[in-house]
Amino acid sequence: MDIPPHNRQGEGLSEPSSLGRVSSSFNLSASPQGFSHTPSLSKGGASLVTDKTRIASKAKQLKPFATEDIKILLLENINQTGRDLLAKQGYQVEFLRTSLPEDELIDKLRDVHVIGIRSKTMLTARVLREAKNLIAIGCFCIGTNQVDTQYAARHGIAVFNSPFSNSRSVAELVIGEIIVLARQLGDRSNELHKGSWNKVSSGCWEIRGKTLGIIGYGHIGSQLSVLAEAMGMSVVFFDAVNLMALGTSKQVSTLEVLLRSADFVTCHVPELPETNNMIGEKELETMKVGSYLINASRGSVVNIPALIEAMRAGKIAGAALDVYPTEPAGNGDYFVNDLNPWAEDLRSLKNIILTPHIGGSTEEAQSAIGVEVGDSLVRYVNEGTTTGAVNMPEVSLRSMNLDEPNHCRVVYIHHNVPGVLKEVNQILGDHNVDKQMTDSRGDVAYLMADISNVSTPAVRALYQRLEILGSCIMTRVLY
């Protein structure tokens, strides 16, 4: 059972509404009442799910009783694997292929409990403020900079992403771009498409024996390092923290050292204030004459007008860009000066590869992302587990057993202030707490406790006592 969450965004408690379903696990005639801003959840009761596979494993699956009342909105063409996984839970899943304008998005989110997005949907504080029922956000991609994660955390909304699943796809794309740039394949292909035969070797190179400089040695950068060495390249990398180098790669102490030594420079960093215009006029001037620049990270990392000038001057021999400061919301003829004032100048350059943010756009990556993020959302909605959340403490408890029918799980998200645990444990102390875990992250703390031998009225009373605490952000009770 899931006693519905109360997401405190400046409102008082609503009047209790009957949960109108019988709880088979408590054998009572009525389920506990709950306080909620979530009309659909507040109408559902609770029941123990006893499918045969769970019985065999002796694991009791905690999930909301009326799963058809949980509404999920998936935008930006989320992969079929993720859609199927969520639909299999019985949730109401609405799927759209594109992102939505902000005002339309706000209207859509008013009765949604979970939203799944990729990189183009902007979940700002203004948007999230109106999403009174939202409990979780799934970013079906690596980055979460499109979400105001701090606002979400302060209002009990967990944010999940997929930090690993598309790493190989991006690394392979960069390897391909290194070869294409070194051999000027893009220009030769375009010329021949226009009927011009231009067989030249000047300015075309093997990549064997060249030096690759990787800025950001995370999941993508480290995989790229291994692939590049297999192609005969030497690898140096720069990262903000000291990391173990794979193979024969070497970490350098400063970005300047990397730029002066690398024939190819590739960026794999998050969007942070520190990485904004990380490669600008000064850095391009530091790079070797005739070197190449690749950016498959975030559009704010490279100062593109400065890159245009460096390529026109012959300082940079070629570049590959997969990300841009401003990107269209959908497919179409939008990559023009109205979008970015330098777009047409960029398109006019020689030996430049321009791709529409497709680093992770492979069937394998999108399928894996669908499973990874979908699983995280199901575990959070059904069990309260925050493992993998980017804005919440990671808290998980072992599963309940099927021979524990009168147990419930309490999830209490609260402000991280002194005295909260004392207050909460005074409430929980009236019951037998089997297991409990709490952790904090910044201003937000997350407590989860399993309680045994509780009656439905006791669960209702426990929920109400937690809700009125001044520290409360959101309370959920699952059984």
Side-chain angles (χ1 to χ4, degrees):
M1 172 186 183
D2 186 357
I3 290 185
H6 174 104
N7 194 332
R8 298 193 176 198
Q9 301 189 25
E11 295 80 7
L13 294 174
S14 62
E15 290 299 315
S17 59
S18 173
L19 291 179
R21 296 259 187 124
V22 177
S23 168
S24 63
S25 55
F26 282 82
N27 297 315
L28 299 174
S29 60
S31 298
Q33 296 176 0
F35 298 97
S36 176
H37 292 303
T38 310
S40 59
L41 286 182
S42 65
K43 295 175 183 176
S47 175
L48 176 64
V49 175
T50 56
D51 77 42
K52 295 180 180 178
T53 60
R54 290 293 180 179
I55 292 176
S57 65
K58 298 296 184 183
K60 174 182 176 181
Q61 181 167 355
L62 299 171
K63 57 188 298 186
F65 180 68
T67 54
E68 70 275 7
D69 289 340
I70 294 177
K71 296 183 179 180
I72 297 182
L73 175 63
L74 300 179
L75 303 177
E76 301 184 65
N77 202 26
I78 300 299
N79 189 268
Q80 188 71 46
T81 56
R83 286 143 53 190
D84 290 346
L85 193 153
L86 295 168
K88 188 177 180 180
Q89 296 294 315
Y91 308 147
Q92 293 183 39
V93 179
E94 182 178 0
F95 164 73
L96 298 176
R97 294 188 178 277
T98 64
S99 59
L100 294 174
E102 186 172 77
D103 289 341
E104 188 175 346
L105 178 62
I106 287 173
D107 289 338
K108 277 279 187 184
L109 280 180
R110 293 191 193 282
D111 62 348
V112 166
H113 307 109
V114 177
I115 183 171
I117 63 173
R118 293 180 68 187
S119 58
K120 291 184 174 59
T121 299
M122 305 303 294
L123 295 178
T124 62
R126 176 176 180 261
V127 172
L128 295 177
R129 190 177 298 114
E130 303 300 322
K132 305 300 185 185
N133 299 321
L134 199 65
I135 63 171
I137 298 167
C139 297
F140 288 75
C141 52
I142 291 180
T144 57
N145 56 293
Q146 68 276 40
V147 179
D148 190 333
T149 54
Q150 292 186 353
Y151 182 94
R154 291 195 302 269
H155 293 82
I157 304 168
V159 180
F160 299 90
N161 70 333
S162 178
F164 314 113
S165 295
N166 70 358
S167 302
R168 177 71 182 199
S169 295
V170 178
E172 288 187 4
L173 176 68
V174 173
I175 286 291
E177 289 173 337
I178 290 171
I179 296 172
V180 169
L181 290 174
R183 297 294 299 273
Q184 301 179 13
L185 295 182
D187 289 353
R188 298 296 87 77
S189 177
N190 289 335
E191 290 161 358
L192 203 53
H193 273 282
K194 296 175 182 177
S196 176
W197 185 276
N198 185 22
K199 183 178 179 179
V200 297
S201 59
S202 177
C204 298
W205 313 94
E206 293 181 355
I207 67 170
R208 178 181 56 175
K210 305 302 185 295
T211 298
L212 174 63
I214 301 173
I215 305 174
Y217 203 67
H219 305 304
I220 296 170
S222 56
Q223 283 202 48
L224 176 60
S225 172
V226 174
L227 294 176
E229 286 198 349
M231 301 290 290
M233 301 186 78
S234 299
V235 176
V236 295
F237 68 90
F238 170 73
D239 200 285
V241 298
N242 291 326
L243 297 168
M244 184 183 72
L246 301 182
T248 61
S249 63
K250 297 178 181 178
Q251 185 167 7
V252 296
S253 58
T254 66
L255 178 59
E256 181 180 356
V257 171
L258 181 144
L259 296 176
R260 291 190 184 281
S261 60
D263 301 298
F264 296 83
V265 174
T266 180
C267 303
H268 302 283
V269 295
E271 185 173 45
L272 300 169
E274 297 82 358
T275 63
N276 186 52
N277 285 332
M278 190 177 197
I279 304 297
E281 183 177 353
K282 175 184 174 183
E283 290 73 24
L284 291 165
E285 183 60 33
T286 304
M287 291 173 64
K288 296 168 69 172
V289 175
S291 57
Y292 304 83
L293 177 65
I294 299 169
N295 184 22
S297 58
R298 288 291 178 260
S300 60
V301 172
V302 174
N303 184 321
I304 294 182
L307 174 62
I308 293 171
E309 292 306 313
M311 291 189 67
R312 285 175 170 170
K315 174 71 175 185
I316 303 300
L321 302 176
D322 188 48
V323 289
Y324 311 90
T326 305
E327 298 179 357
N331 294 342
D333 298 330
Y334 304 123
F335 198 69
V336 293
N337 283 3
D338 289 341
L339 183 72
N340 291 297
W342 36 255
E344 291 171 25
D345 287 339
L346 186 68
R347 287 163 43 196
S348 69
L349 297 173
K350 293 291 186 180
N351 203 26
I352 188 161
I353 302 169
L354 304 176
T355 50
H357 205 151
I358 58 170
S361 296
T362 63
E363 294 287 353
E364 294 90 346
Q366 292 306 308
S367 177
I369 289 170
V371 171
E372 184 178 2
V373 180
D375 276 340
S376 295
L377 292 173
V378 169
R379 287 196 302 269
Y380 183 72
V381 172
N382 292 356
E383 301 172 16
T385 299
T386 57
T387 303
V390 301
N391 68 332
M392 291 274 187
E394 295 196 61
V395 177
S396 178
L397 291 179
R398 67 181 183 274
S399 298
M400 293 183 186
N401 296 323
L402 284 171
D403 57 0
E404 300 173 327
N406 295 345
H407 289 45
C408 74
R409 173 166 292 176
V410 175
V411 174
Y412 185 68
I413 309 172
H414 61 90
H415 299 291
N416 185 21
V417 294
V420 175
L421 288 182
K422 179 180 178 181
E423 291 182 329
V424 172
N425 285 327
Q426 283 177 341
I427 296 172
L428 299 181
D430 294 336
H431 307 277
N432 183 33
V433 178
D434 282 351
K435 48 189 180 287
Q436 179 177 334
M437 183 176 178
T438 185
D439 198 359
S440 62
R441 183 171 184 166
D443 296 331
V444 175
Y446 195 96
L447 180 147
M448 190 153 58
D450 287 351
I451 301 174
S452 62
N453 300 319
V454 286
S455 66
T456 299
V459 171
R460 177 192 173 193
L462 184 152
Y463 173 83
Q464 292 174 335
R465 290 177 67 188
L466 290 172
E467 275 290 290
I468 63 174
L469 294 179
S471 61
C472 181
I473 294 175
M474 181 184 292
T475 306
R476 298 173 67 206
V477 180
L478 305 162
Y479 63 90

